[in-house]
């Protein structure tokens, strides 16, 4: 009996989950995964922990080792670059060691991911100008953090990745400047009330924060020595660029339908323009439950949910159900603060054309008779539809670790709960942990102008 052949392109979260689900669901498949890089399945989301010496070893910061699946009959081929797809012949062209091989498939799963943006400015070729992604860049940055001769580090970008680079560099004892074109650090993730707190946290920890500024040039003779901006020039022994990502889809042009920004277009079954070619992960636009449309959500959790769906339905002639979509949730620590965010904020809601409103709630975690030293300040933002009060997103933040409550917000968004429902949701009370009304109860009551407790 001939085995159905499934080819997977890309070994990160989407590729990894695809193999797991295919092995779980089917018993007679020929599965091959191609990875362009040398190191299979490095987890860039674990990069900060590696830079701060909080992992067992850099070679452990990965989703899987090839031998784990090879023992189950899966072929894992690193240093194999998929160059093109022939949809009519159902083949791909794969390059390795200067040779190109044509390989057939029955079903093809694209998990090609993204590549970090590099600023197109003079001096980008100088030594010690790095990108914050992948195994090779991680080890290069680590060596510079451990180099006593490196004094000044400039980070370009104040999103998640940039902030991780900032914190790791400060903890390594470096002088750090962070530069961004936007006017608030983490401004695409959080509303101003929270970013104002985090901006102060950055400066309190000694970070030179330069916002609303355009980088014009990297200066230096062979090695970078400074960064020139429209707001001045800043010393730099190392530059770490964290200026966003772009889909790794240039090789698909003319074969697989892409949008104007290069993201792979998929239907409600995560199929591309060819029904035997599926796409998951960061190179696609994910269906957002709160936005009710496809938007960029570059998260491991999204890729894994999409891969799980694809594997379940990949051999159906007629799909039994559509992919239900995702909320999009993430978390981060910034020195003493921890925050988690889910769904839409005011900025992303506006971009999605949604008439949304946001509320902000600030209080103590526990009853007022608990001393301040054991009763941390907490912040909650909720974004909701102005008319229906359906919750579209939110965030929690504190110096105390309350980020698990971000998962409660994610569930509320996924289930399309209203403010009224969250205001009366039945959570526990115990004064060592929470208030008589729970934190999220109070935040929803406040959004409804009912907060009297």
């Amino acid at each position: 009996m001939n085995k159905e052949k499934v080819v997977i392109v890309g070994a990160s979260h989407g590729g990894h989950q695809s193999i797991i689900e295919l092995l779980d669901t089917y018993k007679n498949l020929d599965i091959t995964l191609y990875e362009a890089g040398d190191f299979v399945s490095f987890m860039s989301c674990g990069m900060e922990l590696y830079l701060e010496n909080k992992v067992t070893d850099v070679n452990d910061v990965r989703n899987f080792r090839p031998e784990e699946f090879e023992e189950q009959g899966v072929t894992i081929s690193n240093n194999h670059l998929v160059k093109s797809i022939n949809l009519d012949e159902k083949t791909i062209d794969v390059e390795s060691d200067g040779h190109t091989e044509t390989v057939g498939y029955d079903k093809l799963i694209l998990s090609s991911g993204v590549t970090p943006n590099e600023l197109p400015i003079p001096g980008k070729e100088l030594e010690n100008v790095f990108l914050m992604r992948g195994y090779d860049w991680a080890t290069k940055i680590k060596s510079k953090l451990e180099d006593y001769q490196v004094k000044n580090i400039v980070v370009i970008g104040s999103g998640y990745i940039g902030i991780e680079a900032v914190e790791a560099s400060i903890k390594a004892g470096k002088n750090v400047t962070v530069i961004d074109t936007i006017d608030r650090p983490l401004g695409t993730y959080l509303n101003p009330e929270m970013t104002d707190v985090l901006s102060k946290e950055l400066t309190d920890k000694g970070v030179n924060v330069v916002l609303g500024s355009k980088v014009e040039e990297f200066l230096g003779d062979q090695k970078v020595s400074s960064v020139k901006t429209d707001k001045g020039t800043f010393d730099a022994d190392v530059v770490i660029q964290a200026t966003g990502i772009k889909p790794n889809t240039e090789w698909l042009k003319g074969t697989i339908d892409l949008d104007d920004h290069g993201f792979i277009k998929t239907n409600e079954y995560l199929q591309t323009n060819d029904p035997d070619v599926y796409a998951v992960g960061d190179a696609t636009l994910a269906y957002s439950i709160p936005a009710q449309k496809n938007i960029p959500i570059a998260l491991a959790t999204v890729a894994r949910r999409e891969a799980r769906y694809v594997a379940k339905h990949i051999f159906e002639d007629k799909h039994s159900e559509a992919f239900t979509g995702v909320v999009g949730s993430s978390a981060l620590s910034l020195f003493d603060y921890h925050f988690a965010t889910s769904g839409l904020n005011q900025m992303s809601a506006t971009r999605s054309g949604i008439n949304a409103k946001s509320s902000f709630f600030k209080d103590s975690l526990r009853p007022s008779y608990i001393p301040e030293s054991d009763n941390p300040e907490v912040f909650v933002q909720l974004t909701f539809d102005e008319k229906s009060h359906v919750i579209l997103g939110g965030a929690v933040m504190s110096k105390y670790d309350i980020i698990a409550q971000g998962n409660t917000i994610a569930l509320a968004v996924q289930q399309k709960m209203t403010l009224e429902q969250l205001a009366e949701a039945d959570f526990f009370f115990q004064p060592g942990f929470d208030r008589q009304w729970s934190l999220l109860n109070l935040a929803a009551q406040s959004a409804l102008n009912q907060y009297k407790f």
Side-chain angles (χ1 to χ4, degrees):
M1 182 179 184
N2 290 333
K3 293 183 176 182
E4 294 263 28
K5 183 161 189 178
V6 180
V7 171
I8 303 166
V9 180
S12 190
H13 297 283
H16 180 222
Q17 193 69 40
S18 294
I19 296 175
I20 292 173
E21 300 298 334
L22 290 169
L23 289 174
D24 264 358
T25 309
Y26 310 98
K27 303 302 180 187
N28 196 40
L29 293 182
D30 178 352
I31 305 171
T32 300
L33 181 144
Y34 292 108
E35 166 59 37
D38 177 57
F39 189 90
V40 171
S41 78
F42 182 77
M43 290 180 64
S44 289
C45 48
M47 194 164 170
E48 181 185 5
L49 295 175
Y50 163 61
L51 295 178
E52 295 180 6
N53 298 313
K54 294 179 180 178
V55 301
T56 51
D57 184 85
V58 65
N59 294 309
D60 296 333
V61 187
R62 63 200 309 167
N63 284 301
F64 68 94
R65 297 177 185 273
E67 57 268 23
E68 295 172 18
F69 289 129
E70 290 170 344
E71 294 169 355
Q72 301 179 68
V74 178
T75 301
I76 308 291
S77 299
N78 62 330
N79 294 315
H80 280 67
L81 178 64
V82 180
K83 302 280 288 186
S84 59
I85 306 172
N86 186 325
L87 297 179
D88 293 332
E89 300 296 327
K90 296 185 74 169
T91 62
I92 58 172
D93 293 324
V94 186
E95 183 181 278
S96 178
D97 295 327
H99 302 287
T100 300
E101 176 187 11
T102 299
V103 178
Y105 65 85
D106 293 304
K107 302 290 182 179
L108 180 62
I109 301 175
L110 304 178
S111 183
S112 53
V114 293
T115 55
N117 285 329
E118 182 180 37
L119 292 179
I121 60 175
K124 65 179 183 178
E125 74 288 343
L126 291 171
E127 290 181 35
N128 296 339
V129 176
F130 298 146
L131 298 171
M132 182 76 171
R133 194 178 184 91
Y135 178 88
D136 291 339
W137 290 114
T139 52
K140 288 177 182 178
I141 292 172
K142 185 72 158 63
S143 70
K144 297 303 176 181
L145 294 184
E146 294 174 345
D147 186 347
Y148 73 93
Q149 293 182 311
V150 171
K151 307 295 185 185
N152 302 300
I153 294 181
V154 172
V155 177
I156 314 296
S158 65
Y160 271 31
I161 305 302
I163 290 301
E164 289 182 336
V166 166
E167 184 163 357
S169 299
I170 284 288
K171 289 179 177 177
K174 310 303 181 183
N175 302 316
V176 181
T177 297
V178 60
I179 303 171
D180 207 328
T181 56
I182 64 175
D183 60 356
R184 297 183 290 119
L186 297 162
T188 58
Y189 301 96
L190 298 168
N191 289 348
E193 295 91 344
M194 287 190 177
T195 58
D196 287 349
V197 175
L198 296 178
S199 184
K200 183 177 183 301
E201 177 75 353
L202 285 168
T203 55
D204 286 350
K205 298 297 184 183
V207 181
N208 182 24
V209 181
V210 182
L211 300 175
S213 178
K214 181 181 178 181
V215 177
E216 298 176 341
E217 187 176 2
F218 299 138
L219 303 173
D221 181 12
Q222 293 188 322
K223 294 182 179 180
V224 70
S225 60
S226 60
V227 176
K228 181 182 177 183
T229 77
D230 58 356
K231 289 190 174 181
T233 300
F234 304 92
D235 292 340
D237 302 308
V238 168
V239 171
I240 301 174
Q241 298 183 78
T243 55
I245 54 176
K246 56 187 175 183
N248 182 20
T249 57
E250 187 72 25
W251 61 286
L252 295 173
K253 284 185 176 179
T255 305
I256 299 298
D257 289 348
L258 309 174
D259 77 351
D260 292 341
H261 299 286
F263 289 98
I264 300 170
K265 292 183 179 180
T266 59
N267 63 15
E268 66 269 37
Y269 309 115
L270 304 187
Q271 294 168 302
T272 66
N273 50 295
D274 187 290
D276 291 321
V277 181
Y278 292 77
V280 301
D282 296 355
T284 71
L285 298 176
Y287 183 75
S288 164
I289 293 172
Q292 298 183 43
K293 64 191 293 187
N294 288 52
I295 62 175
I297 311 177
L299 293 169
T301 50
V302 172
R304 290 189 177 277
R305 281 156 179 76
E306 290 175 335
R308 187 180 180 91
Y309 168 86
V310 166
K312 181 179 178 181
H313 299 281
I314 194 168
F315 293 111
E316 292 180 346
D317 292 329
K318 184 177 180 180
H319 287 77
S320 57
E321 59 182 349
F323 180 63
T324 55
V326 295
V327 172
S329 303
S330 57
L332 190 70
S333 291
L334 174 56
F335 297 112
D336 294 334
Y337 280 95
H338 316 282
F339 71 85
T341 178
S342 291
L344 305 179
N345 58 26
Q346 194 64 54
M347 180 184 292
S348 56
T350 300
R351 287 177 177 174
S352 296
I354 296 174
N355 187 22
K357 189 175 180 180
S358 289
S359 65
F360 177 70
F361 178 74
K362 172 185 174 183
D363 212 316
S364 61
L365 180 62
R366 303 182 179 108
S368 58
Y369 59 79
I370 305 295
E372 187 176 319
S373 59
D374 200 31
N375 195 7
E377 195 172 47
V378 291
F379 309 88
V380 182
Q381 70 181 40
L382 294 173
T383 301
F384 51 92
D385 184 276
E386 192 166 10
K387 291 185 177 180
S388 68
H389 289 177
V390 169
I391 299 167
L392 304 173
V396 294
M397 185 174 77
S398 178
K399 289 186 177 181
Y400 183 76
D401 187 357
I402 61 167
I403 61 172
Q405 301 213 39
N407 284 331
T408 304
I409 295 177
L411 189 61
V413 174
Q414 185 180 36
Q415 298 303 313
K416 301 180 181 179
M417 289 178 65
T418 63
L419 290 175
E420 287 81 0
Q421 289 171 322
L422 184 59
E424 297 191 11
D426 191 2
F427 300 122
F428 76 87
F429 163 60
Q430 210 290 332
F433 296 95
D434 210 337
R435 301 276 290 278
Q436 294 93 323
W437 286 99
S438 184
L439 173 63
L440 296 183
N441 291 140
L442 293 172
Q445 292 169 15
S446 176
L448 292 165
N449 295 316
Q450 297 173 351
Y451 177 62
K452 302 180 180 68
F453 199 80

